[in-house]
Amino acid sequence: MSEELTKKAVMEALIFSAKSGIEPSRVASIIGIKLSQVMLLLEELEKEYEGHEHGVMIKSVNGKLRFYTKASIQSFVSQVSVRPLVSITETQMEVLAVVAVKGPLTRNDVELIRGRSSQSQLLELSKMGLVGKRKSKLPGRPYLYKVSSRFYELFQVDDLAEIVEGLAFGEGEDDFETSRDNLTDNGNVEEKINPSDPRREGESERQDRDLSEA
Amino acid sequence: MSEELTKKAVMEALIFSAKSGIEPSRVASIIGIKLSQVMLLLEELEKEYEGHEHGVMIKSVNGKLRFYTKASIQSFVSQVSVRPLVSITETQMEVLAVVAVKGPLTRNDVELIRGRSSQSQLLELSKMGLVGKRKSKLPGRPYLYKVSSRFYELFQVDDLAEIVEGLAFGEGEDDFETSRDNLTDNGNVEEKINPSDPRREGESERQDRDLSEA
Amino acid sequence: MEQLELVFSFPEFEGPLDLLVYLVKKHRVDIRLIPITVIADEFITHVKKMKSLDMVVTSDFLVMASTLMEMKSKALLPRISNNEAEVFDNQRKELYRRVEEYKAIKDLSKEFRVRLYDAYSYERATAKPTVDQERKEDLPDELTEAFKAILKETVLRERVYTIVSESINVEDRMMQIEQLYETIELHKFLMSLESRSEIIVSFLAVLELLKLNRYYLDTVEPLTLRRKIS
């Protein structure tokens, strides 16, 4: 059966399906041809995909061949592959705001401020990489939450503390006073939350947005 | 910039890079063209990749377009990409079939159809991520079970209706000839299921086997 | 000898329906053509054989056996009323329907098995998105400045723990914006909103729209978002 497909076709399939790319030498050994022949076929394949009728192209990174989408259409591609934020709900936002302004603080603190459970929101925000946590030294060693560097990057509000500080935020509201100091401290929280890229998950979960032609 | 690439090229890139595939309607909304135009382009693209000079092809799974390597070169591809076999026993498969065609339904419904207890199978199928459940509004709030998107993915099913079509559900059709052999073939497949099958997450699926020849 | 033969040709049955499907199949005709008395007899004979072979006969089998016996006796009754006849007929039809349905399920599970193995012939083929480092999540300065200023103003007006009952997410807001505005004067727009979280959601929506190239930012004061004409 496989005789029907050309060697170039097999090479194409190998490059497309190898998760972390594949070396030309390995292509050669799998197909059972010489490396020099692989390089020739590769050149052909590369040329083909360079054409404007293809949206992907071959790149060699660290000696491994992989297909990449072309940079010029990144704005389209990023819509299916990079989507961490669109799914933020308003309650998650609210929790994020609390953590941004008052963190580091425990889940319990968040819930006291909001007057309701915030567990799922904190979890989701962690997954999105917007909130980080670390173990505290408080009794029971609860986690302390604060916004991550990704949050700062995204909002470009590394001087959030400064913003809030100047505000008549907590007239007579003690707990707000105390929180001011917290904000300046954004050093030592480990932002490590998400073992796998949060985008990955977000992507598969996304439903169709229907923004077609309004 | 992106004007240089054709719409078909963008579509190609979208299908290749969307982690869990992409619906034609979403392609339409991202590129900003009509669905009918997407379908035309898709047909072209499919035809192109069908040719023997290509090792990959487009398939639709659960309504989402994806590229797959062609079956005829599996022996090559399997050397760079290994998927652990998912083992499903005969009775589990039977319960899965019930849930697929009759779901969402309660455990009790499943048991009525099968004429026997199905609890452990439902539990196992849930663990494998092939069946999902949610609370119903029925008295006693029993769970309702239905097949998950992972089911579609694993079985590479686009539309269940296609599979079910030939089978007699309800109406008395004489399809007896075809099924004569059913019972004799009892090749019980007892492969073990890896509870923490990484593929559950979707794309992170298969690890590359490291066969790199030294 | 007969015993031995039996063991070999005797499949194990998952349940009574499984056995019924098997029995019907042996007749090679539509189940509706087989009299209930025949089915009942065969079923009971088989259950007896199962017992004699020390096979596990669960209560499901016994329940089905007694149902069939009851149906058989009804079928043999010389005279029954119209009403009874109808009830019996329905009962019979229901049994046949169940057997057929179960058979279809079994066929489907075979089909699933084939599909599952078939699926292993195809491997996902993917391409990695090229990430343009430059504009990953860079926002125009003007935009963030505007956002910060507005955030500041609302913080003044509002407590952080204000609980907002309405719930809108970024996606919905994007859609609203696209439907409602050709151009948006950013400051005015954001200031018209009630709560801080609504402002943040709206701001994120604006960001997304910019990233998706649906709008572009006109940085001549006042900061304005304009729809892209494609």
Side-chain angles (χ1 to χ4, degrees):
Chain A
M1 271 272 265
S2 70
E3 288 83 65
E4 290 169 21
L5 292 190
T6 63
K7 291 193 169 102
K8 198 170 69 186
V10 177
M11 180 160 96
E12 180 190 72
L14 289 174
I15 301 174
F16 269 122
S17 61
K19 255 271 147 183
S20 47
I22 186 167
E23 302 87 349
S25 62
R26 202 156 156 227
V27 174
S29 94
I30 288 174
I31 308 186
I33 55 178
K34 285 198 181 136
L35 185 58
S36 58
Q37 205 189 336
V38 168
M39 297 319 278
L40 278 175
L41 290 173
L42 179 61
E43 211 174 298
E44 261 182 62
L45 199 59
E46 272 174 340
K47 205 164 283 165
E48 244 173 62
Y49 275 96
E50 262 165 27
H52 70 288
E53 71 285 0
H54 281 294
V56 295
M57 55 184 271
I58 298 178
K59 264 202 232 176
S60 171
V61 175
N62 288 331
K64 290 183 170 189
L65 304 168
R66 275 223 59 155
F67 274 98
Y68 287 85
T69 58
K70 294 186 179 170
S72 62
I73 48 170
Q74 202 219 336
S75 61
F76 296 108
V77 172
S78 67
Q79 293 180 62
V80 297
S81 60
V82 186
R83 313 235 24 115
L85 285 173
V86 176
S87 54
I88 285 197
T89 65
E90 180 135 5
T91 52
Q92 284 165 1
M93 261 306 168
E94 198 182 300
V95 172
L96 185 61
V98 172
V99 175
V101 180
K102 308 264 293 163
L105 79 178
T106 63
R107 191 187 93 204
N108 200 18
D109 293 336
V110 176
E111 294 181 341
L112 276 175
I113 292 171
R114 292 185 64 229
R116 53 171 143 163
S117 165
S118 307
Q119 180 158 29
S120 68
Q121 288 84 0
L122 282 170
L123 189 75
E124 284 305 312
L125 290 167
S126 295
K127 277 196 192 158
M128 292 180 215
L130 294 174
V131 156
K133 66 181 178 184
R134 65 175 152 89
K135 276 250 176 5
S136 72
K137 289 193 170 119
L138 299 169
R141 314 208 41 160
Y143 284 115
L144 286 174
Y145 294 87
K146 69 182 289 258
V147 287
S148 66
S149 57
R150 179 171 152 72
F151 169 87
Y152 290 106
E153 248 169 59
L154 190 68
F155 289 85
Q156 295 209 339
V157 280
D158 33 53
D159 49 352
L160 184 68
E162 185 193 301
I163 297 180
V164 184
E165 204 148 346
L167 305 174
F169 208 129
E171 304 151 335
E173 200 98 14
D174 285 351
D175 58 339
F176 280 114
E177 312 289 344
T178 53
S179 68
R180 262 178 221 163
D181 308 330
N182 289 340
L183 287 165
T184 52
D185 150 40
N186 57 349
N188 34 6
V189 171
E190 304 152 14
E191 257 108 36
K192 195 260 118 207
I193 281 299
N194 207 17
S196 61
D197 185 348
R199 285 137 196 228
R200 185 175 297 162
E201 288 214 340
E203 209 289 308
S204 56
E205 236 66 287
R206 276 202 75 240
Q207 287 121 352
D208 239 8
R209 215 186 315 142
D210 197 352
L211 288 177
S212 2
E213 42 273 79
Chain B
M1 277 247 271
S2 67
E3 287 82 63
E4 288 169 23
L5 292 189
T6 64
K7 289 187 172 110
K8 199 170 68 186
V10 177
M11 179 158 98
E12 180 190 73
L14 289 174
I15 301 174
F16 269 122
S17 61
K19 284 266 150 57
S20 50
I22 186 167
E23 301 88 348
S25 62
R26 192 144 166 244
V27 173
S29 101
I30 288 175
I31 308 187
I33 56 178
K34 289 205 178 122
L35 184 59
S36 56
Q37 205 187 336
V38 169
M39 298 318 279
L40 279 174
L41 290 174
L42 178 61
E43 215 173 292
E44 265 182 56
L45 199 60
E46 274 174 337
K47 205 163 283 167
E48 251 173 56
Y49 275 96
E50 263 165 27
H52 70 288
E53 72 284 1
H54 281 294
V56 297
M57 56 180 260
I58 297 178
K59 244 176 122 169
S60 176
V61 168
N62 202 10
K64 293 176 172 190
L65 303 168
R66 299 156 162 207
F67 273 100
Y68 283 91
T69 57
K70 293 184 180 172
S72 61
I73 49 171
Q74 200 229 343
S75 58
F76 297 109
V77 172
S78 64
Q79 294 181 61
V80 296
S81 182
V82 175
R83 277 181 290 174
L85 272 188
V86 173
S87 69
I88 300 172
T89 64
E90 291 294 312
T91 53
Q92 283 166 359
M93 198 66 101
E94 201 180 295
V95 171
L96 189 60
V98 174
V99 175
V101 280
K102 297 284 184 174
L105 80 178
T106 63
R107 190 187 94 203
N108 198 23
D109 293 336
V110 176
E111 295 181 340
L112 275 175
I113 291 171
R114 292 188 64 231
R116 57 187 328 240
S117 165
S118 306
Q119 181 158 29
S120 68
Q121 287 84 1
L122 282 172
L123 190 73
E124 282 305 313
L125 291 167
S126 297
K127 275 194 198 158
M128 290 181 227
L130 295 175
V131 154
K133 64 181 179 183
R134 64 175 154 87
K135 276 247 174 8
S136 72
K137 284 182 176 135
L138 300 168
R141 312 208 44 166
Y143 284 115
L144 287 174
Y145 294 86
K146 63 183 272 227
V147 287
S148 66
S149 56
R150 175 165 155 73
F151 161 81
Y152 285 91
E153 191 160 306
L154 184 68
F155 288 76
Q156 292 176 15
V157 169
D158 190 33
D159 187 357
L160 264 176
E162 278 168 31
I163 305 181
V164 177
E165 214 167 326
L167 305 168
F169 278 98
E171 268 76 60
E173 284 167 35
D174 38 336
D175 52 323
F176 282 8
E177 324 288 359
T178 52
S179 57
R180 214 173 282 156
D181 310 321
N182 281 350
L183 283 168
T184 52
D185 157 27
N186 224 9
N188 263 11
V189 190
E190 292 289 7
E191 312 97 304
K192 245 268 87 86
I193 297 123
N194 185 352
S196 59
D197 185 345
R199 293 187 298 143
R200 198 163 304 162
E201 292 310 328
E203 235 299 291
S204 50
E205 306 202 348
R206 40 210 132 83
Q207 304 105 322
D208 275 2
R209 211 200 295 155
D210 198 345
L211 289 176
S212 37
E213 54 280 27
Chain C
M1 192 59 212
E2 200 210 306
Q3 183 89 338
L4 200 60
E5 217 172 303
L6 211 50
V7 174
F8 280 118
S9 63
F10 212 80
E12 242 180 282
F13 296 104
E14 285 292 337
L17 284 172
D18 205 11
L19 173 54
L20 280 172
V21 166
Y22 171 79
L23 295 174
V24 168
K25 218 173 295 171
K26 280 183 30 177
H27 285 275
R28 301 190 176 189
V29 292
D30 190 313
I31 184 172
R32 281 152 220 278
L33 302 175
I34 311 170
I36 192 76
T37 50
V38 174
I39 292 182
D41 285 344
E42 288 183 355
F43 187 89
I44 286 152
T45 312
H46 266 265
V47 170
K48 277 184 188 152
K49 275 184 200 159
M50 284 164 72
K51 277 184 181 157
S52 72
L53 290 170
D54 276 339
M55 295 175 97
V56 185
V57 178
T58 56
S59 59
D60 314 330
F61 283 94
L62 303 178
V63 171
M64 179 61 79
S66 72
T67 306
L68 288 168
M69 292 265 264
E70 187 205 328
M71 290 174 76
K72 181 188 169 187
S73 65
K74 271 189 203 157
L76 294 175
L77 275 183
R79 271 178 303 152
I80 51 174
S81 71
N82 279 349
N83 202 7
E84 276 174 325
E86 199 189 318
V87 170
F88 170 62
D89 194 46
N90 286 340
Q91 195 187 6
R92 200 179 47 120
K93 275 186 186 148
E94 172 60 13
L95 177 75
Y96 287 177
R97 188 197 63 77
R98 282 184 66 197
V99 173
E100 277 175 342
E101 180 177 79
Y102 186 70
K103 198 186 83 60
I105 290 291
K106 288 195 78 82
D107 290 349
L108 184 60
S109 73
K110 300 281 180 229
E111 176 67 28
F112 277 6
R113 177 75 63 201
V114 172
R115 284 263 171 174
L116 180 60
Y117 289 145
D118 188 47
Y120 280 96
S121 315
Y122 303 90
E123 203 59 57
R124 260 314 276 289
T126 59
K128 245 190 159 153
T130 297
V131 180
D132 187 343
Q133 300 294 342
E134 300 287 291
R135 51 171 155 158
K136 209 169 53 194
E137 266 167 350
D138 257 19
L139 312 175
D141 284 347
E142 295 91 340
L143 196 59
T144 41
E145 283 310 315
F147 174 62
K148 274 188 268 184
I150 290 152
L151 192 59
K152 205 180 275 188
E153 289 185 53
T154 26
V155 169
L156 280 172
R157 286 192 274 145
E158 172 203 16
R159 299 255 182 266
V160 72
Y161 48 83
T162 301
I163 291 162
V164 193
S165 55
E166 105 226 67
S167 153
I168 177 156
N169 62 29
V170 178
E171 221 157 351
D172 293 340
R173 180 47 50 97
M174 285 167 70
M175 219 155 0
Q176 288 171 1
I177 291 175
E178 287 210 276
Q179 278 161 8
L180 293 175
Y181 303 101
E182 199 70 41
T183 62
I184 305 171
E185 210 179 292
L186 204 63
H187 190 265
K188 251 191 211 163
F189 170 64
L190 292 177
M191 283 312 289
S192 71
L193 304 171
E194 303 245 301
S195 68
R196 175 144 47 140
S197 46
E198 201 189 347
I199 289 175
I200 300 179
V201 167
S202 304
F203 181 65
L204 282 176
V206 168
L207 291 188
E208 290 288 341
L209 289 169
L210 285 172
K211 262 169 53 189
L212 300 184
N213 263 323
R214 298 203 200 284
Y215 286 80
Y216 66 96
L217 196 63
D218 187 343
T219 52
V220 180
E221 287 294 319
L223 218 53
T224 306
L225 220 57
R226 293 184 198 284
R227 192 196 300 261
K228 264 212 175 145
I229 300 132
S230 49

